[in-house]
Amino acid sequence: MGIVAKTAEAVARASYGKLVAFLAARTRDVAGAEDALSEAFAAALADWPQSGIPRSPEAWLLTVARRKLIDTARRRRTSDEAAPTLALLADELDEGDGRMEIPDERLRLMFACAHPAIDAGVRAPLILQAVLGFDAPRIASAFLVAPATMSQRLVRAKNRLRQAGIPFHIPERDELAPRLEAVLEAIYAVYAEGWADPAGTHARSRGLAEEGIALGRVVVALVSEEPEALGLLALMLHAEARRDARRDRRGEFVPLDFQDPARWDAALIDEAETLLFAASRMGRPGRFQLEAAVQSAHAARRLTGATDWDAIVQLYDALLAHMPSIVVAINRAVALAQRLGGSEGAAEGLAALDALQHGRELADYQPYWAARAALLARAGNATEAIEAYRRAIGLESDPAVRRFLQTELARVAT
Amino acid sequence: MKYLLLNYMNETTMLSLPKEDAGRMHAAYMAYVDAMNKAGVLLANHGLRPTSEATTVRAPGGKQTVLDGPFAETKEQLGGYFLIEVADLDAALSWAARCPGAELGAIEVRPVWG
């Protein structure tokens, strides 16, 4: 790859979201901004080898992309949409002499992507595309959706952004918290897809976990007085600190309780703890701070050598009160069993699992069956444990976890 | 919606798996079928014997030919199928991802007419 292509690619990686955000914030047209920007990148690859790499490649790209947007708008002069687009873009075009500082409006773009008028399931994919420039097939693979379907959903969401007049602004203080929650949830979904990726090693190359953390850092930098933003970043950093410890040397799955704390990334844990401490001083607890606190309690094992299950149960109680969810309820049941230990603890955990609604949603919910199997095994109920392990194995899509469960099953069966 | 999950795999690789791995793979398939049944999505499934045992019939213009072997030589071969009934393609894809065969081969997800 030549120096020009390399520079263009580096600018694309570093500035894509910033440029889309800047353009789309003025036109509300994310698809149009993306198209104009990709034309600008193509123009750069043609122009820069001749005229040299401009002093500010970002500003150069922005100027070209704006011209493309204005051209497009002029061509559909008849349509009502064109007039405001032209006005908004022309306003600022004169400032673009290559020395202008381009403001970072990615957070505004994220708030638009995570707007309540956008279907919740498409918010995280939309952020991946609009802010990070991921293409539809890559997003589709991450979220286990057909690429054609994902493309349609993204197109529909972008049309809705434009047509519904969804504002590209950071909400005022009184409506910030609920709107921020949607942004944070979408970022967490990005991270979680990377984290849950089968084999773990693929996640690194695909980089979803890293992108989630990068987005979390953007939000923390822009709304540093919002404790939940800090809590989410702390939560992701705690999980990231344990990424490598989740597999042994042969690539086999290692559950949290059996991980060697020496393999955890101390620097990431320290950063997470600092963030969580800063968040807690703001005195406004929330879902992400509580989840980060659970991870913090697990991380404390590297210092104390033991896990404070009593604290973890209390945190799950608080989480359940805050945000009732099946995942939290299952984790709480396991923590209950750990707190008391032995077969008595297992019985208490099983009772908590039994108390869950046995609806259809549990029939193909892997974590439920894996938790149930482990507790049944510990309670000495081999027959039911074997049955539950088989359900968990059949529902697992990560081969390493599947092998781990098969080993556990063999242990109970003999 | 009904979907056919077609499980493609390299027969040579599958047949040369170490005994322990083959046993584990077999058990994983059994657990997979079990989980599908318990979730109430499985309509039918079968594993296929190797393509070396296949016979292919064609009758272009009414003129019958019978050949030993599969209809085409491919790098991966159809090794089995699962006919499932689920709400939508997203759900079908999540069952495809759970198929133990996805680790070593590919699962083609095809909507069924009607």
Side-chain angles (χ1 to χ4, degrees), chain A residues 270-285:
Chain A
D270 289 344
E271 192 188 350
E273 294 290 272
T274 306
L275 284 162
L276 190 55
F277 181 67
S280 70
R281 288 178 55 126
M282 297 176 193
R284 281 178 285 151

Side-chain angles (χ1 to χ4, degrees), chain A residues 144-146 149 153 360 363-364 387 390-391 393-397 399 402-403 406-407, chain B residues 24 27-28 30-32 34-35 38-40 89-90 93-95 97-100 103:
Chain A
L144 204 57
V145 169
T149 312
R153 285 178 195 169
R360 288 212 52 84
D364 58 359
E387 171 67 25
R390 280 172 55 85
R391 289 290 283 279
I393 292 163
L395 293 167
E396 180 56 56
S397 54
R402 195 188 291 138
R403 281 194 295 275
Q406 286 189 300
T407 308
Chain B
R24 204 161 46 189
M30 302 294 281
Y32 177 59
D34 229 38
K38 295 262 167 55
L89 180 60
D90 289 5
L93 293 183
S94 73
W95 280 108
R98 290 163 174 157
C99 180
E103 187 187 359

Side-chain angles (χ1 to χ4, degrees), chain A residues 353-377:
Chain A
L353 281 184
D354 286 337
L356 298 177
Q357 292 292 328
H358 269 260
R360 288 212 52 84
E361 64 173 317
L362 288 180
D364 58 359
Y365 193 61
Q366 199 274 350
Y368 172 79
W369 294 102
R372 195 171 174 79
L375 294 182
L376 283 164

Side-chain angles (χ1 to χ4, degrees), chain B residues 34-94:
Chain B
D34 229 38
M36 285 180 139
N37 272 322
K38 295 262 167 55
V41 299
L42 189 63
L43 298 178
N45 77 290
H46 281 99
L48 303 179
R49 295 173 67 96
T51 50
S52 57
E53 296 179 31
T55 313
T56 301
V57 178
R58 291 175 199 264
K63 190 168 174 292
Q64 293 174 6
T65 58
V66 179
L67 291 172
D68 283 329
F71 86 102
E73 295 292 344
T74 47
K75 217 164 68 184
E76 285 164 320
Q77 296 81 24
L78 184 62
Y81 73 89
F82 306 86
L83 181 63
I84 62 172
E85 181 150 26
V86 290
D88 52 31
L89 180 60
D90 289 5
L93 293 183
S94 73

Side-chain angles (χ1 to χ4, degrees), chain A residues 147-335:
Chain A
T149 312
M150 183 53 84
S151 294
Q152 282 169 11
R153 285 178 195 169
L154 288 167
V155 168
R156 219 177 295 141
K158 286 177 205 166
N159 284 341
R160 193 150 171 74
L161 268 181
R162 200 180 63 225
Q163 287 157 358
I166 290 169
F168 280 66
H169 71 77
I170 297 168
E172 296 300 320
R173 202 171 182 92
D174 54 335
E175 58 158 337
L176 181 65
R179 291 285 308 282
L180 183 64
E181 200 176 305
V183 171
L184 298 180
E185 259 168 36
I187 293 172
Y188 190 49
V190 169
Y191 181 82
E193 289 303 326
W195 167 257
D197 178 46
T201 46
H202 292 157
R204 255 193 202 298
S205 60
R206 250 179 20 200
L208 275 183
E210 285 82 349
E211 301 289 9
I213 289 174
L215 290 170
R217 289 190 193 283
V218 171
V219 175
V220 165
L222 294 171
V223 287
S224 56
E225 72 289 356
E226 285 302 320
E228 277 294 88
L230 275 57
L232 170 63
L233 185 54
L235 172 61
M236 295 191 290
L237 291 172
H238 266 306
E240 195 61 15
R242 298 202 290 260
R243 171 181 290 280
D244 289 341
R246 289 193 305 168
R247 294 288 186 271
D248 68 12
R249 276 195 201 83
R250 291 168 302 133
E252 297 302 323
F253 171 73
V254 185
L256 175 55
D257 294 345
F258 293 97
Q259 286 171 13
D260 174 7
R263 290 192 63 201
W264 296 344
D265 187 322
L268 290 180
I269 293 176
D270 289 344
E271 192 188 350
E273 294 290 272
T274 306
L275 284 162
L276 190 55
F277 181 67
S280 70
R281 288 178 55 126
M282 297 176 193
R284 281 178 285 151
R287 174 239 169 142
F288 288 116
Q289 292 171 74
L290 287 166
E291 287 201 46
V294 171
Q295 299 314 318
S296 167
H298 281 297
R301 176 156 67 87
R302 93 197 144 125
L303 305 174
T304 62
T307 305
D308 184 351
W309 288 106
D310 200 34
I312 292 177
V313 169
Q314 287 180 32
L315 287 167
Y316 277 129
D317 283 338
L319 255 176
L320 267 186
H322 206 84
M323 179 194 72
S325 97
I326 201 85
V327 192
V328 175
I330 290 170
N331 285 332
R332 179 179 169 274
V334 173

Side-chain angles (χ1 to χ4, degrees), chain A residues 22-75:
Chain A
F22 185 87
L23 294 167
R26 278 145 189 83
T27 60
R28 287 183 182 159
D29 182 358
V30 173
E34 289 172 334
D35 289 346
L37 202 53
S38 80
E39 282 183 56
F41 277 113
L45 288 177
D47 186 273
W48 295 359
Q50 265 98 54
S51 43
I53 294 162
R55 198 148 39 105
S56 170
E58 233 181 34
W60 190 98
L61 288 164
L62 186 59
T63 304
V64 174
R66 273 158 139 185
R67 287 208 187 101
K68 305 265 178 208
L69 273 179
I70 290 173
D71 286 349
T72 314
R74 282 211 181 103
R75 257 182 269 126

